[in-house]
Amino acid sequence: MIHELLLALHGYTGGLFCGSSLQVPAELPFLHPGENALLARVCRLGAFYTRFCEFVEQFAEHVLPPALYPPQHPPPPPPPPPPQQGNYLRAFCTGLNAVLQPYRQALLDLEQEFLADPHLTIAHVNYSLDQFQLLFPSLMVVVEQIKTQKIHGCQIPEIVHHYSRSGLPSVRSALEQVLAMCHAVMYKQLSAWMLHGLLLDQHEEFFVKQGPSSGSVPSQPEEEEDDLGIGGLTGKQLRELQDMRLIEEENMLAPSPKQFSLRVEMLPSYIPVRVAEKILFVGESVQMFESQNMNLTKKGSILKNQEDTFAAELHRLKQQPVFNMVDFESVVDGIRSTVAEHLWKLMVEESDLIGQLKIIKDFYLLGRGELFQAFIDTAQQMLKTPPSAVTEHDVNVAFQQSAHKVLLDDDNLLPLLHLTIHYHGKEHRDVAQARDTPSRELSPHESPTSGWAALGLHYKVQWPLHILFTPAVLEKYNVMFKYLLSVRRVQAELQHCWALQMQCKGLESSRTDAIKWRMRHHMTFLVDNLQYYLQVDVLESQFAQLLQQINSTRDFESIRLAHDHFLSNLLAQSFILLKPAFHCLNEILDLCHSFCSLVSQNLGPLDERGTTQLSILAKGFSSQSSLLFKILSSVHNHQINSDLAQLLLRLDYNKYYTQAGGTLGRIFVLFRAQPARPVQSQRIGPRPFGIKDCWPCLRKREALSQE
C-alpha cells in the first residue's frame, strides 16, 4: 500500500487511491481511524500535485518531464489549444514546475527509505511531506485565479507578486522563484525594446504597445452653455475660470495617435508609471533612430555604443533572485540619461532647435509682424468671400509676394511653409484625412463663411524635430495662429478707419460722426491693449522663459516638458481655454469688424439705415465690454488667475473703466437714430486715454474742429 500511495502522490492513481481527490475507502479494516486521517491529509497533497500537473500540461506541456505511461495504456491524445497563450504564462508554468521539483525529489527519497526499512509507517510519509502542506494551498490559489480570470501577460507577475508578500517563508520563497521566471521574459522584452527598438510582443502581453493609449481618463461631459448676459457671472462660469488649465486636452483638441504608448492595464503595480514612461521614451527614441534611413556616419548610435554595457546590466538584474526596484530604476535611468543627452545634442546643437522655435514664433505666433501686415493688405479682398478650390493657391501666391515685399527671401524656409484653406468641398474630397485628423477647432467662427475663417498654416518639420513638434502640437500652434491673426486683422481695419477719419477731419461733422469716431477710438483702445498684452505679456515673456530653460539643461525630456508647459501657458493666458472670456473677445472682434465694414462702405454722413446699424453695434459693444469687465473683475477679485488681472490692469490702468461702470462707450446706448445736424465739438463725455489721445492732443483737436 505504501508504494501505491507514493505512486498516487506522484499522480498515478490505482485501485486503492482513485479519483482526482485521491479519497481513501473508509471500509479498509486494517487502518486505524488516526491512520485514515493521516492518509487523507497526505492524499490531499497528491490531489494538489495532480491539478498542478494538469495546469502545466494544458498551457506548457513541454515543461513537464516525460511521463512513464504503463505499457497497456497508450499516451493520451494531445489536448486542444488553450484559450490562454503567451510567454508569461509559459514562464509561470516553468517556475511552477521548478517549485514542484523538491516535492518530486521528496517522493523519490521516501521510496528509497521504504525500500531500506519496510517497517516505516504512514506517519513518516506525513512527516516528510509536511513542508508542502502550507505551500500547495497557496500555490493553488494563484493557479486558480490565473485560470478562472484568464489572466495573461504582465498581469501574471502582478498576481504572483501580490501573493508572494506572505509571512510564510516557504510560500514567499517559492513564489519569488516563480516571479523570477516571469521577470526573465520581461527583461528579454525590455532588452529588445530599449536597446534595439524592437517590440517583441506577439500575444500583446507587454506594457508597451503600438498605437494610441486606451487607458486614458474619460473626459467629463461638457456643460451646457451659460447665459453670457451682462447681469454678472454665474457660479458655473466661475468654476470654468477656476478649471481653465484642466480642460486643455478635453475642450480644445483631441490628441493625435501616438506611434507607441503604454498599455496601462498590463503594467505591474510595483513598477511606477514614471519608470514605464522612461522605458517608453527610450524605446521610441531608439526605434526612431533604427527605422530612419540616414547615413550611419551622421546618425551614429543613440546609445553611444554602450549597448553591450546596458545589456550586461539588464542581464545582471535578470539573474537576481528577488526583484529590486531601486536597481531596476537605476539601470533604466542610466539608459534614459544617455538617450536624452544624445537627443539634446542632436536637436539643440545639430538641428538648431532654438532656431526652429524662432521660426515657429515668427510665423505661427506672428513674430514677423511686418510680414503679416503686408499679407493682410494683399489678401484682404481675396479672403472676404467664401473659399473655393483655387483660393488656397492664390493665398500662397499672395503670401510669397508679401514675403518678397518685406525682404524675406529665404529659399530654404519658404518651401516649408504652406497656407491651407479648409472649405466644405475639400472636406468631402479628403474623407480619409478627415478621419485621422481631429476636426475640433477653436476658431472665432464655428462655420467658416469667409476665407479668413478657413485659413490655416502648415509647417513641414524636419527630422528629428518631429518628435517634439508632433501633429497635435502643430495643431495647437495653428489655433494660436488663427486667433492672433484675427486680432491683428481687426487692429489693421481699425487703423484704416482712423486714416479715413483723418481724411474727413476738415469736413463738416455731425453728431452721428462724432459718436462713430468715438466708438472707433474705444474699440481701438481695447484691441490695441489686447494685442499688446498677447504679444508682450504672453508671447515674449513665455518665449524668453522657454529659451532660458533650454539653455540650462542637457536633457531632452526636460526640453519637451518645458515646451509643453510653454504651449499650455500660451493657450491659457490667451484665454483660448477660458470659454466665457474667449467667447466675449470673439464677439468684440466681430463687432469691430462689422463696424469697420460699415465705416468703409459709408464715407459720408450715415443715412437712417446706417444710423440704425451703428446704434445696434454700439449697444452690442457696450454689452460685450461690460461682460468682459465683469469677467476680468470677478476673476481678479477671487485671485484665481494673474493673466486676467494683467489684461485688466492694461485696460483700466487709470480707473476709467471702473468709473464708467465697466462699460466702454456706454453713451452709445443712449444714442437714438436722429437726423444728422452739425455740432460744434466732437468731444462728448469722458474718454479713455490712449497712445495718441493725451489731453493736449484732445484740446488741440477740439480747437481745430471749432475753427
Side-chain angles (χ1 to χ4, degrees):
M1 187 190 74
I2 294 297
H3 287 283
E4 189 170 350
L5 174 63
L6 294 178
L7 287 173
L9 293 177
H10 207 284
Y12 301 98
T13 59
L16 186 60
F17 303 96
C18 56
S20 59
S21 59
L22 301 182
Q23 294 182 356
V24 183
E27 62 273 6
L28 293 179
F30 54 86
L31 288 179
H32 188 272
E35 292 178 327
N36 201 353
L38 284 178
L39 197 58
R41 188 170 184 267
V42 171
C43 289
R44 181 167 168 262
L45 295 178
F48 281 134
Y49 179 78
T50 302
R51 295 173 65 182
F52 291 148
C53 292
E54 291 175 354
F55 178 83
V56 174
E57 184 179 2
Q58 179 182 2
F59 295 105
E61 56 184 20
H62 69 283
V63 174
L64 284 177
L68 298 177
Y69 296 101
Q72 64 273 19
H73 297 286
Q84 295 174 257
Q85 296 180 355
N87 296 322
Y88 285 89
L89 187 57
R90 290 178 177 272
F92 175 82
C93 294
T94 303
L96 181 61
N97 182 68
V99 169
L100 295 178
Q101 183 60 33
Y103 173 78
R104 288 191 287 263
Q105 185 62 41
L107 294 180
L108 293 178
D109 295 341
L110 280 175
E111 185 178 13
Q112 296 296 328
E113 294 175 2
F114 274 102
L115 290 176
D117 187 2
H119 301 289
L120 295 177
T121 62
I122 300 176
H124 181 71
V125 177
N126 179 62
Y127 169 76
S128 300
L129 300 180
D130 187 67
Q131 56 181 323
F132 304 102
Q133 293 291 344
L134 296 176
L135 174 62
F136 279 15
S138 300
L139 290 178
M140 183 53 61
V141 173
V142 180
V143 169
E144 285 297 323
Q145 185 170 351
I146 293 176
K147 187 175 181 179
T148 56
Q149 299 182 9
K150 298 181 179 180
I151 297 174
H152 75 291
C154 287
Q155 294 174 343
I156 293 179
E158 166 66 21
I159 296 298
V160 177
H161 178 267
H162 173 73
Y163 286 100
S164 66
R165 294 176 294 180
S166 172
L168 302 175
S170 59
V171 176
R172 183 174 64 252
S173 176
L175 289 180
E176 286 177 351
Q177 185 177 355
V178 176
L179 187 60
M181 289 292 181
C182 297
H183 284 161
V185 178
M186 184 180 71
Y187 282 120
K188 289 181 179 180
Q189 290 181 322
L190 285 175
S191 299
W193 173 246
M194 299 179 69
L195 303 183
H196 306 286
L198 300 176
L199 186 59
L200 304 180
D201 192 16
Q202 181 182 1
H203 302 287
E204 298 183 355
E205 302 175 289
F206 198 39
F207 52 80
V208 175
K209 68 173 182 176
Q210 188 171 5
S213 176
S214 59
S216 59
V217 181
S219 59
Q220 298 182 359
E222 186 175 358
E223 297 180 348
E224 297 181 357
E225 290 292 333
D226 295 320
D227 182 15
L228 298 178
I230 62 174
L233 287 177
T234 64
K236 186 182 296 183
Q237 289 175 331
L238 191 56
R239 285 194 301 271
E240 289 178 347
L241 300 179
Q242 295 171 339
D243 299 337
M244 57 179 296
R245 294 183 183 270
L246 303 179
I247 63 174
E248 173 185 353
E249 295 297 333
E250 299 174 0
N251 291 348
M252 199 198 73
L253 293 171
S256 61
K258 293 182 179 180
Q259 188 176 5
F260 295 97
S261 60
L262 289 179
R263 186 183 282 115
V264 183
E265 65 274 10
M266 286 295 176
L267 182 64
S269 62
Y270 52 88
I271 298 181
V273 178
R274 68 174 187 277
V275 179
E277 291 286 353
K278 297 174 184 177
I279 295 173
L280 175 64
F281 162 70
V282 172
E284 279 185 322
S285 304
V286 175
Q287 196 273 341
M288 178 193 68
F289 270 76
E290 294 294 336
S291 61
Q292 185 69 23
N293 185 15
M294 294 186 62
N295 296 328
L296 295 178
T297 56
K298 180 180 178 181
K299 180 178 68 172
S301 172
I302 192 174
L303 295 175
K304 298 182 179 180
N305 298 320
Q306 299 184 34
E307 290 87 352
D308 295 340
T309 303
F310 294 139
E313 290 292 325
L314 291 175
H315 182 73
R316 179 182 62 83
L317 293 178
K318 177 183 174 183
Q319 298 300 320
Q320 290 182 353
V322 180
F323 181 80
N324 191 326
M325 186 61 217
V326 176
D327 291 346
F328 179 76
E329 187 172 4
S330 176
V331 173
V332 172
D333 283 338
I335 302 176
R336 190 208 68 86
S337 299
T338 303
V339 172
E341 184 177 356
H342 184 83
L343 280 178
W344 179 91
K345 181 179 179 181
L346 180 67
M347 299 190 68
V348 176
E349 296 182 355
E350 299 182 14
S351 299
D352 191 17
L353 174 62
I354 295 180
Q356 293 294 322
L357 285 172
K358 290 181 179 178
I359 292 175
I360 293 290
K361 176 177 176 290
D362 288 343
F363 292 94
Y364 276 104
L365 305 180
L366 274 60
R368 295 295 299 266
E370 76 282 7
L371 169 63
F372 287 98
Q373 180 61 50
F375 173 72
I376 290 173
D377 295 338
T378 305
Q380 182 66 33
Q381 299 298 326
M382 182 190 311
L383 294 177
K384 278 188 175 181
T385 59
S388 61
V390 298
T391 305
E392 184 169 326
H393 174 268
D394 297 340
V395 166
N396 281 279
V397 172
F399 186 74
Q400 298 288 338
Q401 294 175 354
S402 303
H404 296 323
K405 288 182 181 179
V406 297
L407 303 180
L408 180 62
D409 297 329
D410 192 344
D411 295 334
N412 296 326
L413 176 59
L414 291 179
L416 302 179
L417 297 167
H418 183 76
L419 293 175
T420 59
I421 297 292
H422 297 281
Y423 56 94
H424 184 68
K426 186 176 181 180
E427 293 178 356
H428 288 281
R429 187 177 61 185
D430 301 335
V431 176
Q433 181 180 0
R435 292 177 180 175
D436 298 334
T437 306
S439 59
R440 298 178 59 188
E441 298 179 356
L442 284 182
S443 172
H445 307 278
E446 292 294 335
S447 57
T449 57
S450 65
W452 290 110
L455 185 65
L457 179 63
H458 174 72
Y459 177 63
K460 185 178 180 181
V461 183
Q462 301 298 311
W463 189 93
L465 297 173
H466 67 283
I467 63 179
L468 182 64
F469 301 112
T470 61
V473 169
L474 291 180
E475 186 63 27
K476 294 177 183 179
Y477 274 120
N478 218 357
V479 171
M480 286 294 302
F481 169 75
K482 296 176 182 179
Y483 178 53
L484 294 174
L485 187 62
S486 65
V487 176
R488 185 67 187 91
R489 189 165 60 91
V490 170
Q491 186 184 35
E493 292 177 352
L494 289 172
Q495 292 172 353
H496 178 68
C497 291
W498 177 83
L500 295 178
Q501 179 185 1
M502 293 298 100
Q503 295 176 4
C504 303
K505 66 179 182 179
L507 302 178
E508 183 180 6
S509 60
S510 62
R511 178 180 175 84
T512 305
D513 294 333
I515 294 180
K516 178 175 61 175
W517 300 130
R518 181 62 57 83
M519 183 176 179
R520 181 211 61 79
H521 176 71
H522 281 238
M523 289 181 172
T524 303
F525 173 78
L526 194 151
V527 174
D528 285 349
N529 280 278
L530 174 63
Q531 174 76 350
Y532 191 86
Y533 163 79
L534 293 174
Q535 291 294 334
V536 177
D537 296 336
V538 178
L539 298 181
E540 290 296 336
S541 174
Q542 293 297 324
F543 190 74
Q545 295 180 18
L546 175 63
L547 295 184
Q548 182 181 2
Q549 293 174 353
I550 292 176
N551 293 324
S552 63
T553 184
R554 294 184 63 88
D555 188 286
F556 171 74
E557 280 291 278
S558 300
I559 292 178
R560 180 155 63 179
L561 181 62
H563 179 259
D564 292 342
H565 186 65
F566 163 75
L567 189 54
S568 299
N569 285 341
L570 290 187
L571 295 171
Q573 295 180 17
S574 301
F575 316 119
I576 293 178
L577 304 179
L578 189 60
K579 288 193 298 183
F582 185 66
H583 176 78
C584 181
L585 290 174
N586 284 329
E587 290 293 329
I588 291 176
L589 294 178
D590 289 340
L591 290 170
C592 294
H593 176 71
S594 300
F595 171 79
C596 294
S597 299
L598 177 64
V599 172
S600 301
Q601 296 171 4
N602 299 273
L603 299 179
L606 296 177
D607 55 8
E608 183 178 356
R609 180 179 179 183
T611 304
T612 304
Q613 293 179 0
L614 181 63
S615 176
I616 295 175
L617 292 175
K619 292 179 181 179
F621 183 74
S622 175
S623 299
Q624 293 300 327
S625 62
S626 175
L627 174 60
L628 179 63
F629 183 79
K630 290 180 184 296
I631 294 175
L632 300 179
S633 301
S634 299
V635 177
H636 176 66
N637 293 335
H638 288 80
Q639 298 181 354
I640 296 174
N641 191 284
S642 60
D643 311 323
L644 293 171
Q646 180 68 24
L647 178 59
L648 180 61
L649 176 63
R650 294 205 172 276
L651 293 175
D652 196 30
Y653 69 96
N654 60 350
K655 297 301 179 181
Y656 170 81
Y657 216 163
T658 303
Q659 295 173 4
T663 303
L664 284 179
R666 60 177 176 178
I667 192 171
F668 303 150
V669 181
L670 304 177
F671 171 68
R672 294 294 184 269
Q674 297 178 358
R677 59 184 180 87
V679 295
Q680 296 298 325
S681 175
Q682 295 184 7
R683 182 180 175 185
I684 303 177
R687 58 187 291 167
F689 286 110
I691 298 177
K692 303 178 182 178
D693 296 281
C694 58
W695 282 116
C697 296
L698 292 177
R699 293 176 179 177
K700 183 178 180 180
R701 186 179 303 172
E702 181 179 357
L704 291 175
S705 62
Q706 291 177 355
E707 293 176 0

